[in-house]
Amino acid sequence: MLPKKIQSALNKQISEEAYASNYYLSMASWCDREGLRGSAGFLYLHADQEKAHMMKLFHYVNEAGGHAIAPQIKEPPQEYKSVSNVFELTLKHEQTVTRLINELVELCLEEKDYSTFNFLQWYVAEQHEEERLFKSILDLIRIAGLEGRGLFLVDKEVGNIAGSLKKA
Ligand code: OFO
């Protein structure tokens, strides 16, 4: 049986993943409107992935005998200053999610819930990959710059990353 404290912490994380999905969806929409098709495609895909992270937690809570709660989601920002602002915010957000996942893992150890501890290892590995991915996009922006053809190249490359993630 899922300890009550763990159940409510997992439900809080379900809500965080739902917010992340909406946050990236709003960023995708902003990029789309700016004509940044590659970045928009990448962020639409990432919004779907966050929804999948949410659902994985959702099913786990019910399978473990708890009650998964469909979350109320606050509205994310809808406007962004630039594509570099978008990707700086994604990295910052992923760093926050990493901290939340680490806190959840620590709670599992305190509560001696080794099953949820084990389940969460997937998220620990995923956060490592996501932070690495967003850092690499910021590196790309730093190297190519956003002046002249820089913006075109960055957007094209981010679109290629989305294409390779879809195939993986
Ligand atoms: Fe982008 O991370 Fe979910 O968990």
Side-chain angles (χ1 to χ4, degrees):
M1 195 68 182
L2 203 56
K4 283 279 174 235
K5 258 191 183 175
I6 302 284
Q7 174 176 299
S8 81
L10 290 174
N11 272 318
K12 188 168 170 293
Q13 191 59 33
I14 285 172
S15 154
E16 292 290 344
E17 302 289 344
Y19 178 75
S21 178
N22 262 14
Y23 193 20
Y24 297 153
L25 192 59
S26 88
M27 290 175 179
S29 176
W30 182 86
C31 290
D32 224 352
R33 285 181 294 125
E34 291 290 312
L36 299 163
R37 303 277 178 262
S39 304
F42 174 90
L43 287 159
Y44 281 128
L45 178 70
H46 213 77
D48 285 347
Q49 288 178 346
E50 296 300 343
K51 175 84 187 294
H53 296 173
M54 178 193 106
M55 292 310 296
K56 200 175 166 82
L57 280 160
F58 201 89
H59 291 307
Y60 176 81
V61 170
N62 282 345
E63 279 162 20
H67 180 184
I69 305 292
Q72 186 176 17
I73 313 168
K74 70 175 194 277
E75 187 181 337
Q78 304 292 347
E79 296 297 334
Y80 301 92
K81 291 190 209 108
S82 62
V83 74
S84 56
N85 175 233
V86 163
F87 285 108
E88 278 157 13
L89 290 171
T90 56
L91 177 60
K92 202 164 155 222
H93 192 74
E94 288 305 325
Q95 287 166 336
T96 302
V97 174
T98 300
R99 180 177 53 74
L100 295 173
I101 295 289
N102 290 344
E103 286 171 6
L104 256 174
V105 168
E106 278 165 31
L107 182 67
C108 289
L109 289 178
E110 277 167 29
E111 296 293 309
K112 299 191 177 5
D113 180 352
Y114 301 113
S115 171
T116 306
F117 173 87
N118 188 42
F119 166 76
L120 287 173
Q121 296 313 300
W122 183 88
Y123 287 84
V124 172
E126 182 68 9
Q127 282 313 118
H128 173 81
E129 278 312 308
E130 296 205 336
E131 282 199 33
R132 192 181 61 80
L133 178 63
F134 286 113
K135 271 186 200 133
S136 75
I137 294 176
L138 286 174
D139 282 343
L140 180 67
I141 291 174
R142 185 175 48 79
I143 293 163
L146 296 176
E147 301 301 318
R149 284 175 57 83
L151 180 58
F152 171 77
L153 290 173
V154 165
D155 188 57
K156 190 164 183 282
E157 186 52 29
V158 173
N160 290 341
I161 296 173
S164 59
L165 288 175
K166 266 189 210 154
K167 279 185 216 134

